[in-house]
Structure formats: C-alpha cells, structure tokens
Amino acid sequence: MQQEKETYNKIIHAGVEVLNKKDYHEAVVEEIANLAGVSKGTIFFYFKTKEGLFKEILLSLLNELEESLTKILEDVKLRAIEKLKSVYDTYIDFQIKNMNLFLAIRRELIKEEPVPRVEAIKEKLQKLTQKMLPIIEEMFKKGLIKKFDPTIELTEIVPSMILAYASAVSSMVYFYKDKIDKLKEIFWQILLHGILNEDVSINMLIFNKEK
C-alpha cells in the first residue's frame, strides 16, 4: 500500500514538472513515465487515461495550494487583513511557480461542456474561496468592508476578487518579471481601497506610510 502511494506521488510530481514546461497536448505519457522512473503501463494502471492523469495532476496542484492557504487562514497570530494579504501573496507566488499548469486550469474552466475534470477543478477553486468566507464575514460585521448593492452577497464575491487580482498580477510576470513585487503591492492597494470603507482605507494608507 505504501509503495503504491509512493509510485502514485512520483507520477504526479513528474507530471507537474513536465506540464509546467509543456502544454497538455504536447506532453507525452512516456516523458512523465521516464521522469517518474516507471513504465507507461504503470501510469495507465493508476490513471487509466491521459485525461485522468491530467485531472489528477491539476487537482494535486490545487490540493497543495489549499494546504498552504489553510495554514495562513488558521494562523491565530495574524489579523484578518494580514491573512488576506498573505493569501493574496501566496496565490501569486504559487501561480508564477506553476504558471503553465495554471494556464491549463484556466483553459479548462472556460469550457462550456460539463466535463467531469472541469467540474472537479471548479469545486476545488470554490472550496478555496469559501475558506476565506469567515474572515470576510468578520470584516463585514466590524464595518471594515463597504456595503454596495444590498441584493448582492459580497461576502462570497470578495474572496473571488482577491484571487482574481492575484491572477492578474501573476499573468504579468511575462512582461514585468523584475517589477512583480511592486505590481503585487500596487494591485493590493487598489483592491483594498476599493472594498474597504473609506475611513478604514485612509487609516491603513497612513499606517503603511508610517511603516
């Protein structure tokens, strides 16, 4: 059982490495097998199809990201706003590190047909945003976040906004690699001052300048 798990993990890790360099359609199972040190037949024993392997590679990547974000969100030493900033930074860094695979995830998500692997990826991403909900709800109760349209449940939108801004920054790495840290901060400030109440936003701006 332990050996099977180790073999499975070796294949997944090899798949992540290969697919971070090549498009899904360019990658061949033999290359993943060689890197993992197993036969092509062994891969199909575990995953049945290339599609199945691709799905598990993407989900394993999101599982790794979820673990990182969970540690941040459960850190009792961090304030709510610090947790969100850390989630934002971590999401950017993780995407840049695995850019090819995240591009693959985005391509999967825009497909209209209900493909099982796409639905599984959507569910995982929704789970990531839902993990931020308690913090966002806490900030709403404290009056830190603006109330816009009362017919829209913003507690569910704000987490998606944070990840969307993070994705926008990470996609700029191709053009502004040497300025990515500055872009991180610029986009974070734009996001913050868009969602926070004005008095909170001003106070935070003053605090940041004093630091």
Side-chain angles (χ1 to χ4, degrees), residues 66-130:
E66 182 182 5
E67 287 179 14
S68 298
L69 298 188
T70 299
K71 286 180 183 177
I72 294 168
L73 296 171
E74 292 179 353
D75 190 341
V76 295
K77 296 177 183 178
L78 297 176
R79 294 180 300 157
I81 196 69
E82 291 172 330
K83 289 181 180 182
L84 295 183
K85 178 62 163 64
S86 190
V87 164
Y88 168 84
D89 287 336
T90 300
Y91 197 76
I92 291 172
D93 294 339
F94 199 84
Q95 281 207 54
I96 291 174
K97 178 184 173 184
N98 301 282
M99 182 58 74
N100 240 33
L101 278 167
F102 267 92
L103 289 175
I105 288 173
R106 291 177 195 176
R107 285 194 294 270
E108 290 295 300
L109 292 176
I110 62 175
K111 292 180 178 178
E112 295 182 359
E113 67 271 22
V115 180
R117 70 169 185 272
V118 176
E119 294 306 310
I121 291 168
K122 282 182 179 178
E123 287 175 11
K124 179 60 70 173
L125 287 172
Q126 286 170 353
K127 188 176 179 181
L128 290 179
T129 58
Q130 287 168 357

